[in-house]
Coordinates of all heavy atoms in Angstrom, one line a residue:
M1168 N -10.5 -2.1 39.7 CA -11.3 -2.1 40.9 C -11.0 -0.6 41.4 O -10.0 -0.1 41.7 CB -10.7 -3.0 41.9 CG -11.4 -3.0 43.2 SD -12.6 -4.5 43.5 CE -13.0 -4.2 45.1
S1169 N -12.3 0.0 41.7 CA -12.1 1.2 42.4 C -11.7 1.3 43.8 O -12.0 0.4 44.5 CB -13.6 2.0 42.2 OG -14.0 2.1 41.0
S1170 N -11.0 2.4 44.2 CA -10.7 2.4 45.6 C -11.6 3.5 46.3 O -11.9 4.5 45.6 CB -9.3 2.7 45.8 OG -9.0 4.1 45.5
F1171 N -12.1 3.2 47.4 CA -13.0 4.1 48.1 C -12.3 5.0 49.1 O -11.5 4.5 49.8 CB -14.1 3.3 48.8 CG -15.1 2.8 47.8 CD1 -15.0 1.7 47.1 CD2 -16.4 3.5 47.7 CE1 -15.9 1.1 46.1 CE2 -17.3 2.9 46.8 CZ -17.2 1.8 46.0
T1172 N -12.7 6.2 49.2 CA -12.2 7.2 50.1 C -13.2 7.8 51.1 O -14.3 8.2 50.6 CB -11.6 8.4 49.3 OG1 -10.6 7.9 48.4 CG2 -11.0 9.4 50.2
K1173 N -12.9 7.8 52.4 CA -13.8 8.5 53.4 C -13.9 9.8 53.0 O -13.0 10.5 52.9 CB -13.5 8.1 54.8 CG -14.3 8.7 55.7 CD -14.0 8.4 57.1 CE -15.0 9.1 58.2 NZ -14.6 8.9 59.4
V1174 N -15.3 10.1 52.9 CA -15.4 11.8 52.7 C -16.3 12.5 53.7 O -16.3 13.6 53.8 CB -16.0 11.9 51.2 CG1 -15.1 11.5 50.2 CG2 -17.4 11.3 51.2
A1175 N -17.1 11.6 54.5 CA -17.9 12.3 55.5 C -18.5 11.2 56.5 O -18.2 10.0 56.3 CB -19.1 12.9 54.6
R1176 N -19.1 11.6 57.4 CA -19.7 10.7 58.4 C -21.2 10.8 58.0 O -21.8 11.9 57.8 CB -19.5 11.1 59.8 CG -18.1 10.9 60.3 CD -17.9 11.3 61.8 NE -17.9 12.7 62.0 CZ -18.7 13.4 62.7 NH1 -19.7 12.9 63.3 NH2 -18.7 14.7 62.6
L1177 N -21.8 9.6 58.0 CA -23.3 9.5 57.8 C -24.1 10.4 58.6 O -25.0 11.1 58.2 CB -23.8 8.2 57.9 CG -25.2 7.9 57.5 CD1 -25.5 8.1 56.0 CD2 -25.6 6.4 57.8
S1178 N -23.7 10.4 59.9 CA -24.5 11.3 60.9 C -24.4 12.8 60.6 O -25.2 13.5 61.2 CB -23.9 10.9 62.4 OG -22.7 11.1 62.5
E1179 N -23.4 13.2 59.8 CA -23.4 14.7 59.6 C -24.2 15.1 58.4 O -24.3 16.4 58.2 CB -21.9 15.2 59.6 CG -21.2 14.6 58.3 CD -19.7 15.0 58.5 OE1 -19.4 16.0 59.2 OE2 -18.9 14.4 57.8
I1180 N -24.6 14.1 57.6 CA -25.4 14.4 56.5 C -26.9 14.6 56.7 O -27.5 13.7 57.1 CB -25.2 13.5 55.3 CG1 -23.7 13.3 55.1 CG2 -25.9 13.7 54.1 CD1 -23.4 12.1 54.1
P1181 N -27.4 15.9 56.6 CA -28.7 16.0 56.9 C -29.8 15.2 56.0 O -29.4 15.1 54.8 CB -29.0 17.5 56.8 CG -28.0 18.0 55.9 CD -26.8 17.0 56.0
E1182 N -30.8 14.9 56.4 CA -32.0 14.4 55.4 C -32.6 15.6 54.9 O -32.8 16.6 55.5 CB -33.0 13.5 56.2 CG -32.4 12.3 56.9 CD -32.8 10.9 56.4 OE1 -33.3 11.1 55.1 OE2 -32.7 9.9 56.8
G1183 N -33.0 15.4 53.6 CA -33.8 16.4 52.9 C -33.0 17.6 52.4 O -33.7 18.4 51.8
R1184 N -31.7 17.6 52.5 CA -31.0 18.7 51.8 C -29.5 18.2 51.5 O -29.1 17.1 52.0 CB -31.0 20.1 52.5 CG -30.5 20.1 54.0 CD -30.9 21.3 54.7 NE -30.6 21.1 56.1 CZ -29.4 21.4 56.7 NH1 -28.4 21.9 55.8 NH2 -29.2 21.4 57.9
G1185 N -28.8 19.0 50.8 CA -27.6 18.6 50.4 C -26.5 18.8 51.4 O -26.6 19.6 52.2
F1186 N -25.4 18.2 51.1 CA -24.0 18.3 51.9 C -23.0 18.5 51.1 O -22.7 17.5 50.2 CB -24.1 17.1 53.0 CG -23.0 17.3 54.0 CD1 -23.1 18.1 55.2 CD2 -21.8 16.7 53.7 CE1 -22.1 18.2 56.0 CE2 -20.8 16.7 54.7 CZ -20.9 17.4 55.9
S1187 N -22.2 19.5 51.0 CA -21.1 19.7 50.1 C -19.8 19.3 50.8 O -19.5 19.5 51.9 CB -21.1 21.2 49.9 OG -20.0 21.4 48.9
V1188 N -18.9 18.5 49.9 CA -17.7 18.1 50.4 C -16.6 18.4 49.2 O -16.9 18.4 48.2 CB -17.5 16.6 50.7 CG1 -18.3 16.4 52.0 CG2 -17.9 15.7 49.6
D1189 N -15.5 18.9 49.8 CA -14.4 19.2 48.9 C -13.4 18.1 49.0 O -12.9 17.7 50.2 CB -13.6 20.3 49.1 CG -14.5 21.5 48.8 OD1 -14.8 21.7 47.5 OD2 -14.9 22.2 49.6
I1190 N -13.0 17.4 48.0 CA -12.3 16.1 48.0 C -11.3 16.0 46.8 O -11.9 15.9 45.7 CB -13.0 14.8 48.4 CG1 -12.1 13.6 48.5 CG2 -14.2 14.6 47.3 CD1 -11.7 13.3 49.9
Q1191 N -10.1 15.9 47.0 CA -9.2 15.6 45.8 C -9.4 16.8 44.7 O -9.5 16.4 43.5 CB -9.2 14.3 45.3 CG -8.7 13.4 46.3 CD -8.7 11.8 45.8 OE1 -9.0 11.6 44.7 NE2 -8.3 11.0 46.7
G1192 N -9.6 18.0 45.0 CA -9.8 19.0 44.2 C -11.2 19.0 43.4 O -11.4 19.8 42.5
R1193 N -12.1 18.3 43.9 CA -13.5 18.3 43.4 C -14.5 18.7 44.5 O -14.4 18.4 45.7 CB -13.9 16.9 43.0 CG -13.1 16.4 41.7 CD -13.5 15.0 41.5 NE -12.3 14.2 41.6 CZ -12.2 12.9 41.0 NH1 -13.2 12.6 40.2 NH2 -11.0 12.3 41.0
R1194 N -15.5 19.4 44.1 CA -16.6 19.7 45.1 C -17.8 18.8 44.7 O -18.3 18.8 43.5 CB -16.9 21.1 44.9 CG -18.3 21.4 45.8 CD -18.3 22.9 46.1 NE -17.3 23.2 47.1 CZ -17.1 24.6 47.7 NH1 -18.0 25.4 47.5 NH2 -16.2 24.6 48.6
L1195 N -18.2 18.0 45.6 CA -19.3 17.1 45.4 C -20.4 17.4 46.3 O -20.2 18.0 47.5 CB -18.8 15.7 45.7 CG -17.4 15.2 44.8 CD1 -17.2 13.9 45.2 CD2 -17.7 15.4 43.4
A1196 N -21.6 16.9 45.9 CA -22.8 17.1 46.7 C -23.1 15.7 47.1 O -23.3 14.8 46.2 CB -23.9 17.8 45.9
L1197 N -23.5 15.6 48.5 CA -24.0 14.3 49.0 C -25.4 14.6 49.4 O -25.8 15.6 49.9 CB -23.2 13.9 50.2 CG -21.7 13.8 50.0 CD1 -21.1 13.3 51.3 CD2 -21.3 12.8 48.9
F1198 N -26.2 13.4 49.1 CA -27.7 13.5 49.6 C -27.9 12.2 50.3 O -27.6 11.2 49.7 CB -28.6 13.7 48.2 CG -28.2 14.9 47.5 CD1 -27.5 14.9 46.5 CD2 -29.0 16.1 48.0 CE1 -27.2 16.2 45.8 CE2 -28.7 17.3 47.3 CZ -27.9 17.3 46.1
R1199 N -28.7 12.2 51.3 CA -29.0 11.1 52.2 C -30.5 10.9 52.1 O -31.3 11.8 52.4 CB -28.5 11.4 53.5 CG -29.0 10.3 54.5 CD -28.5 10.5 55.9 NE -28.8 9.5 56.9 CZ -28.6 9.5 58.1 NH1 -27.9 10.6 58.7 NH2 -28.9 8.5 58.8
S1200 N -30.8 9.6 52.0 CA -32.2 9.2 52.1 C -32.1 8.0 53.0 O -31.8 6.9 52.5 CB -32.8 8.9 50.7 OG -34.1 8.6 50.9
G1201 N -32.4 8.0 54.3 CA -32.2 6.9 55.2 C -30.8 6.6 55.3 O -29.9 7.4 55.6
Q1202 N -30.5 5.3 55.1 CA -29.1 4.9 55.3 C -28.4 4.9 54.0 O -27.2 4.6 53.7 CB -29.1 3.4 55.7 CG -29.6 3.2 57.1 CD -28.8 4.0 58.2 OE1 -29.2 5.0 58.7 NE2 -27.6 3.6 58.3
K1203 N -29.1 5.4 53.0 CA -28.5 5.5 51.5 C -28.0 6.8 51.3 O -28.7 7.8 51.5 CB -29.6 5.0 50.5 CG -29.2 5.1 49.2 CD -28.6 3.7 48.7 CE -28.1 3.7 47.2 NZ -27.2 2.7 46.9
V1204 N -26.8 6.9 50.6 CA -26.2 8.2 50.2 C -25.9 8.1 48.8 O -25.4 7.2 48.3 CB -25.0 8.5 51.1 CG1 -24.2 9.8 50.7 CG2 -25.3 8.4 52.6
Y1205 N -26.1 9.3 48.2 CA -25.8 9.5 46.7 C -24.7 10.6 46.6 O -24.9 11.6 47.4 CB -27.1 9.9 46.0 CG -28.2 9.0 46.1 CD1 -29.2 9.1 47.0 CD2 -28.3 7.8 45.3 CE1 -30.1 8.1 47.2 CE2 -29.3 6.8 45.5 CZ -30.2 7.1 46.4 OH -31.3 6.1 46.6
A1206 N -24.0 10.6 45.6 CA -22.9 11.6 45.4 C -22.9 12.1 43.9 O -22.9 11.3 43.0 CB -21.6 11.0 45.8
I1207 N -23.0 13.3 43.7 CA -22.9 13.9 42.4 C -21.9 15.0 42.3 O -21.7 15.7 43.5 CB -24.4 14.4 41.9 CG1 -25.0 15.5 42.8 CG2 -25.3 13.1 41.9 CD1 -26.2 16.0 42.1
E1208 N -21.6 15.5 41.2 CA -20.9 16.8 41.1 C -21.7 17.8 41.5 O -22.9 17.9 41.3 CB -20.5 17.0 39.6 CG -19.3 17.7 39.4 CD -18.0 16.9 39.4 OE1 -17.9 15.9 38.8 OE2 -17.2 17.2 40.0
D1209 N -21.1 18.8 42.4 CA -21.8 19.8 43.0 C -21.9 21.1 42.1 O -21.5 22.2 42.5 CB -21.2 20.2 44.4 CG -22.2 21.2 45.1 OD1 -23.4 21.4 44.7 OD2 -21.8 21.7 46.3
S1210 N -22.2 20.9 40.9 CA -22.3 21.9 39.9 C -23.4 21.5 38.9 O -23.2 20.5 38.1 CB -21.0 22.1 39.3 OG -20.9 23.1 38.3
C1211 N -24.3 22.4 38.7 CA -25.5 22.1 37.8 C -24.8 22.2 36.4 O -24.0 23.1 36.0 CB -26.5 23.2 38.0 SG -27.9 22.9 36.8
T1212 N -25.4 21.3 35.5 CA -24.7 21.3 34.0 C -25.3 22.5 33.3 O -25.0 22.7 32.1 CB -25.0 20.1 33.4 OG1 -26.4 19.7 33.4 CG2 -24.2 18.9 34.1
H1213 N -26.3 23.3 33.8 CA -26.9 24.4 33.0 C -26.1 25.6 33.3 O -25.5 26.1 32.3 CB -28.3 24.6 33.5 CG -29.0 25.8 32.9 ND1 -29.5 26.9 33.5 CD2 -29.1 26.0 31.5 CE1 -29.9 27.8 32.7 NE2 -29.8 27.3 31.5
A1214 N -25.9 26.2 34.5 CA -24.9 27.3 34.7 C -24.3 27.3 35.9 O -24.0 28.3 36.6 CB -25.9 28.5 34.6
E1215 N -23.9 26.0 36.4 CA -23.0 25.8 37.4 C -23.5 26.2 38.9 O -22.6 26.4 39.8 CB -21.6 26.5 37.1 CG -21.0 25.8 35.8 CD -19.5 26.5 35.5 OE1 -19.1 27.3 36.3 OE2 -19.1 26.1 34.4
A1216 N -24.7 26.3 39.1 CA -25.1 26.5 40.4 C -24.8 25.4 41.4 O -24.7 24.3 40.9 CB -26.7 26.7 40.5
S1217 N -24.7 25.6 42.6 CA -24.3 24.6 43.5 C -25.6 23.7 43.9 O -26.6 24.2 44.5 CB -23.8 25.3 44.8 OG -23.7 24.1 45.8
L1218 N -25.5 22.3 43.4 CA -26.6 21.6 43.6 C -26.8 21.2 45.1 O -28.0 20.8 45.5 CB -26.6 20.2 42.7 CG -26.7 20.7 41.2 CD1 -26.5 19.4 40.4 CD2 -28.1 21.1 40.8
S1219 N -25.8 21.3 45.8 CA -26.0 20.9 47.3 C -26.8 22.0 48.0 O -27.4 21.7 49.0 CB -24.5 20.9 48.0 OG -23.9 22.1 47.9
M1220 N -27.1 23.1 47.3 CA -27.9 24.1 47.9 C -29.3 23.9 47.4 O -30.2 24.8 47.6 CB -27.4 25.6 47.5 CG -26.0 25.8 47.9 SD -25.7 26.0 49.6 CE -26.7 27.5 50.0
G1221 N -29.7 22.9 46.6 CA -30.8 22.7 46.0 C -31.8 22.0 46.9 O -31.7 21.8 48.1
F1222 N -32.9 21.7 46.5 CA -34.1 21.1 47.1 C -34.1 19.5 46.9 O -34.1 19.1 45.8 CB -35.4 21.7 46.7 CG -35.4 23.1 46.7 CD1 -35.1 23.8 45.5 CD2 -35.5 24.0 47.9 CE1 -35.1 25.2 45.4 CE2 -35.4 25.3 47.9 CZ -35.2 25.9 46.6
F1223 N -34.2 18.7 47.9 CA -33.8 17.3 47.7 C -35.1 16.5 48.3 O -35.4 16.9 49.5 CB -32.6 16.7 48.4 CG -32.4 15.3 48.4 CD1 -32.3 14.7 47.1 CD2 -32.2 14.4 49.5 CE1 -32.2 13.3 47.0 CE2 -32.1 13.1 49.4 CZ -32.0 12.6 48.1
D1224 N -35.8 15.7 47.4 CA -37.0 15.1 47.8 C -36.8 13.6 48.3 O -37.8 12.8 48.4 CB -38.1 15.2 47.0 CG -38.0 14.5 45.6 OD1 -36.9 13.8 45.4 OD2 -38.8 14.5 44.8
G1225 N -35.5 13.2 48.2 CA -35.2 11.7 48.5 C -34.8 11.0 47.2 O -34.4 9.7 47.3
E1226 N -35.2 11.6 46.2 CA -34.9 10.9 44.8 C -34.2 11.9 43.9 O -33.3 11.5 43.0 CB -36.2 10.4 44.2 CG -36.0 9.5 42.9 CD -37.2 8.8 42.6 OE1 -38.0 8.4 43.4 OE2 -37.7 8.9 41.4
K1227 N -34.8 13.1 43.8 CA -34.3 14.1 42.8 C -33.9 15.3 43.7 O -34.4 15.7 44.7 CB -35.2 14.3 41.8 CG -36.5 14.9 42.3 CD -37.5 15.3 41.1 CE -38.6 16.2 41.4 NZ -39.6 15.4 42.4
V1228 N -32.9 16.1 43.0 CA -32.5 17.4 43.5 C -32.9 18.4 42.5 O -32.7 18.2 41.3 CB -31.0 17.5 43.9 CG1 -30.1 17.2 42.6 CG2 -30.7 18.8 44.4
T1229 N -33.5 19.6 42.9 CA -33.9 20.5 42.2 C -32.9 21.8 42.3 O -32.7 22.1 43.4 CB -35.3 21.3 42.5 OG1 -36.2 20.1 42.5 CG2 -35.8 22.2 41.7
C1230 N -32.4 22.2 41.2 CA -31.4 23.2 41.2 C -31.9 24.5 41.8 O -33.1 24.9 41.4 CB -30.8 23.5 39.7 SG -29.7 24.8 39.6
P1231 N -31.2 25.1 42.6 CA -31.8 26.4 43.2 C -31.7 27.6 42.4 O -32.5 28.6 42.6 CB -30.8 26.7 44.5 CG -29.6 26.2 44.0 CD -29.9 24.9 43.2
L1232 N -31.1 27.6 41.3 CA -31.2 28.7 40.4 C -32.1 28.8 39.3 O -33.0 29.7 39.3 CB -29.7 28.9 39.7 CG -29.4 30.2 39.1 CD1 -29.6 31.3 40.0 CD2 -27.9 30.1 38.6
H1233 N -32.3 27.8 38.5 CA -33.3 27.8 37.3 C -34.2 26.5 37.6 O -34.9 26.2 36.5 CB -32.8 27.9 36.0 CG -31.8 29.0 35.9 ND1 -30.4 28.8 35.7 CD2 -32.0 30.4 35.8 CE1 -29.7 29.9 35.6 NE2 -30.7 31.0 35.8
F1234 N -34.1 25.8 38.6 CA -35.0 24.6 38.8 C -34.9 23.4 37.9 O -35.9 22.7 37.9 CB -36.5 25.2 39.0 CG -36.5 26.4 39.9 CD1 -36.9 27.6 39.5 CD2 -36.2 26.2 41.3 CE1 -36.9 28.8 40.3 CE2 -36.3 27.4 42.2 CZ -36.6 28.7 41.6
A1235 N -33.7 23.2 37.3 CA -33.6 22.0 36.6 C -33.6 20.8 37.7 O -33.3 21.0 38.8 CB -32.3 21.8 35.9
E1236 N -34.1 19.7 37.2 CA -34.1 18.5 38.2 C -33.3 17.3 37.7 O -33.3 17.0 36.5 CB -35.7 18.1 38.3 CG -36.5 19.0 39.0 CD -37.9 18.6 39.0 OE1 -38.3 17.5 38.5 OE2 -38.7 19.3 39.7
F1237 N -32.6 16.8 38.7 CA -31.8 15.7 38.4 C -32.0 14.4 39.3 O -32.2 14.7 40.5 CB -30.2 16.0 38.6 CG -29.7 17.2 37.7 CD1 -29.8 18.5 38.2 CD2 -29.1 17.0 36.5 CE1 -29.3 19.5 37.4 CE2 -28.6 17.9 35.8 CZ -28.8 19.3 36.2
R1238 N -32.0 13.4 38.8 CA -32.2 12.2 39.7 C -30.7 11.8 40.2 O -29.9 11.6 39.5 CB -32.6 10.9 38.7 CG -32.9 9.7 39.6 CD -33.2 8.5 38.8 NE -34.3 8.6 37.8 CZ -35.6 8.7 38.1 NH1 -36.1 8.5 39.4 NH2 -36.5 8.8 37.1
V1239 N -30.6 11.8 41.6 CA -29.3 11.7 42.2 C -28.7 10.4 42.1 O -27.5 10.3 42.2 CB -29.4 12.2 43.7 CG1 -29.7 13.6 43.8 CG2 -30.4 11.2 44.4
S1240 N -29.4 9.4 41.9 CA -29.0 7.9 41.7 C -28.3 7.7 40.4 O -27.3 6.9 40.2 CB -29.9 6.9 41.8 OG -31.1 7.1 40.8
T1241 N -28.7 8.5 39.3 CA -28.0 8.4 37.9 C -27.5 9.5 37.3 O -26.9 9.4 36.4 CB -29.2 7.8 37.0 OG1 -30.3 8.8 36.9 CG2 -29.8 6.5 37.5
G1242 N -27.9 10.7 38.0 CA -27.5 11.9 37.4 C -28.3 12.5 36.1 O -28.0 13.5 35.6
E1243 N -29.4 11.7 35.7 CA -30.1 12.0 34.5 C -30.8 13.4 34.8 O -31.3 13.5 35.9 CB -31.0 11.0 34.1 CG -32.2 10.7 35.0 CD -32.9 9.5 34.6 OE1 -33.7 9.5 33.6 OE2 -32.8 8.4 35.4
V1244 N -31.1 14.2 33.7 CA -31.8 15.2 33.8 C -33.4 14.8 33.7 O -33.9 14.1 32.8 CB -31.7 16.3 32.6 CG1 -32.7 17.3 32.7 CG2 -30.3 16.6 32.6
L1245 N -34.1 15.2 34.8 CA -35.7 15.0 34.8 C -36.5 16.2 34.3 O -37.6 16.0 33.8 CB -36.2 14.6 36.2 CG -35.5 13.4 36.8 CD1 -35.8 13.2 38.3 CD2 -35.7 12.1 35.9
E1246 N -35.8 17.3 34.5 CA -36.6 18.6 34.0 C -35.5 19.6 33.6 O -34.5 19.7 34.4 CB -37.4 19.1 35.2 CG -38.4 20.1 35.0 CD -39.5 19.7 34.1 OE1 -40.1 18.7 34.3 OE2 -39.9 20.4 33.1
G1247 N -35.7 20.3 32.6 CA -34.9 21.2 32.2 C -34.9 22.5 33.1 O -35.6 22.5 34.0
P1248 N -34.1 23.5 32.7 CA -33.4 23.9 31.5 C -32.1 23.1 31.3 O -31.6 23.2 30.2 CB -33.1 25.3 31.5 CG -32.9 25.6 33.0 CD -33.9 24.7 33.7
A1249 N -31.6 22.4 32.3 CA -30.2 21.7 32.0 C -30.7 20.6 31.0 O -31.7 20.0 30.9 CB -29.9 21.0 33.3
E1250 N -29.6 20.1 30.2 CA -29.7 19.2 29.2 C -28.8 18.0 29.4 O -29.1 17.0 29.0 CB -29.6 19.7 27.8 CG -30.6 20.8 27.4 CD -30.5 21.4 26.0 OE1 -29.4 21.1 25.4 OE2 -31.3 21.9 25.5
E1251 N -27.5 18.3 30.1 CA -26.7 17.3 30.2 C -26.7 16.8 31.7 O -27.0 17.5 32.7 CB -25.2 18.0 30.1 CG -24.8 18.5 28.7 CD -24.8 17.4 27.6 OE1 -24.3 16.3 27.9 OE2 -25.5 17.6 26.6
P1252 N -26.5 15.4 31.7 CA -26.6 14.9 33.1 C -25.5 15.2 34.0 O -24.4 15.7 33.4 CB -26.5 13.4 32.8 CG -25.8 13.2 31.4 CD -26.3 14.5 30.7
V1253 N -25.6 15.2 35.1 CA -24.5 15.6 36.2 C -23.9 14.2 36.5 O -24.4 13.1 36.6 CB -25.2 16.2 37.4 CG1 -26.0 15.3 38.2 CG2 -24.0 16.9 38.2
K1254 N -22.5 14.3 36.8 CA -21.8 13.2 37.1 C -22.1 12.5 38.4 O -22.2 13.4 39.4 CB -20.2 13.5 36.9 CG -19.3 12.3 37.2 CD -17.8 12.7 36.8 CE -16.8 11.6 37.2 NZ -17.2 10.2 36.8
T1255 N -22.1 11.3 38.6 CA -22.3 10.6 39.7 C -21.2 9.8 40.3 O -20.4 9.5 39.3 CB -23.6 9.6 39.7 OG1 -23.2 8.5 38.7 CG2 -24.9 10.4 39.3
Y1256 N -21.2 9.5 41.5 CA -19.9 8.8 42.1 C -20.6 7.5 42.9 O -21.5 7.8 43.6 CB -19.1 9.5 42.9 CG -18.5 10.7 42.2 CD1 -19.0 12.0 41.9 CD2 -17.1 10.6 41.7 CE1 -18.4 13.0 41.2 CE2 -16.4 11.6 40.9 CZ -17.1 12.6 40.6 OH -16.6 13.8 40.0
P1257 N -20.0 6.3 42.7 CA -20.3 5.3 43.6 C -20.1 5.6 45.1 O -19.1 6.2 45.4 CB -19.4 4.1 43.3 CG -18.9 4.5 41.8 CD -18.8 6.0 41.8
V1258 N -21.1 5.3 45.9 CA -20.9 5.5 47.4 C -21.2 4.2 48.1 O -21.9 3.3 47.7 CB -22.1 6.4 47.9 CG1 -22.1 6.7 49.3 CG2 -22.0 7.8 47.0
R1259 N -20.2 4.1 49.2 CA -20.4 2.9 50.1 C -20.6 3.5 51.6 O -19.7 4.4 51.9 CB -19.1 2.2 50.0 CG -19.1 1.0 50.7 CD -17.8 0.1 50.1 NE -16.6 0.5 50.6 CZ -15.4 0.0 50.4 NH1 -15.3 -1.0 49.6 NH2 -14.3 0.5 51.0
V1260 N -21.5 3.0 52.3 CA -21.7 3.3 53.6 C -21.2 2.2 54.5 O -21.8 1.1 54.3 CB -23.1 3.8 53.9 CG1 -23.3 4.2 55.5 CG2 -23.5 4.9 53.1
A1261 N -20.3 2.4 55.3 CA -19.7 1.5 56.3 C -19.9 1.9 57.6 O -19.2 2.8 58.2 CB -18.3 1.2 55.8
G1262 N -20.7 1.4 58.5 CA -21.0 2.1 59.7 C -21.5 3.5 59.6 O -22.4 3.9 58.9
D1263 N -20.7 4.4 60.2 CA -20.9 5.9 60.0 C -20.0 6.4 59.0 O -20.1 7.7 58.8 CB -20.7 6.6 61.4 CG -21.3 8.0 61.6 OD1 -22.4 8.1 61.0 OD2 -20.7 8.9 62.0
D1264 N -19.2 5.6 58.3 CA -18.3 6.2 57.3 C -18.9 6.2 56.0 O -19.6 5.2 55.6 CB -17.1 5.4 57.2 CG -16.1 5.4 58.4 OD1 -16.3 6.4 59.4 OD2 -15.1 4.7 58.5
V1265 N -18.9 7.3 55.3 CA -19.4 7.4 53.9 C -18.2 7.6 52.9 O -17.3 8.5 53.2 CB -20.3 8.6 53.6 CG1 -20.7 8.8 52.1 CG2 -21.4 8.7 54.5
E1266 N -18.1 6.6 52.1 CA -16.9 6.5 51.2 C -17.3 6.6 49.8 O -18.3 6.0 49.4 CB -16.1 5.2 51.5 CG -15.8 5.0 52.9 CD -15.4 3.5 53.2 OE1 -15.7 2.6 52.5 OE2 -14.6 3.2 54.2
L1267 N -16.5 7.2 49.0 CA -16.7 7.4 47.6 C -15.6 6.8 46.7 O -14.4 6.8 47.2 CB -16.8 8.9 47.2 CG -17.7 9.8 47.9 CD1 -17.8 11.1 47.2 CD2 -19.1 9.2 47.8
A1268 N -15.9 6.3 45.6 CA -14.9 5.9 44.6 C -14.8 7.2 43.6 O -15.8 7.5 43.1 CB -15.4 4.7 43.9
L1269 N -13.7 7.7 43.5 CA -13.6 9.0 42.8 C -13.0 8.9 41.5 O -13.1 9.8 40.6 CB -12.7 10.0 43.5 CG -13.2 10.5 44.9 CD1 -12.2 11.0 45.8 CD2 -14.4 11.4 44.7
D1270 N -12.5 7.7 41.1 CA -12.1 7.5 39.7 C -12.9 6.6 38.8 O -14.0 6.3 39.4 CB -10.5 7.0 39.7 CG -10.4 5.9 40.8 OD1 -11.4 5.0 41.0 OD2 -9.2 5.8 41.4
Ligands
FES2577 S1 -28.1 26.6 37.0 FE1 -29.1 24.9 37.5 S2 -30.9 25.2 36.2 FE2 -29.7 26.8 35.7

């Protein structure tokens, strides 16, 4: 059973763009769509650009460097040049607390 760790407040995550958090030695990108929050590794699998700096449309993030697209719910690549999926993390929203399972 995974344990969840509070990483942010829902109210501080903007809609329509990423929010970067450093937690337990990892840099993650959070994306909010309404009350739903997604968490992925904040590093593009193509050349390590910060995906939290990318463009988010509510479902996918577009890398700001070479424009690969990833589905934030699954990490799958929707558009190259990236070929490898990005790691995702389970997210739980409890009131204004955003919690992640990191292991
Ligand atoms: S670094 Fe993201 S597409 Fe190249």
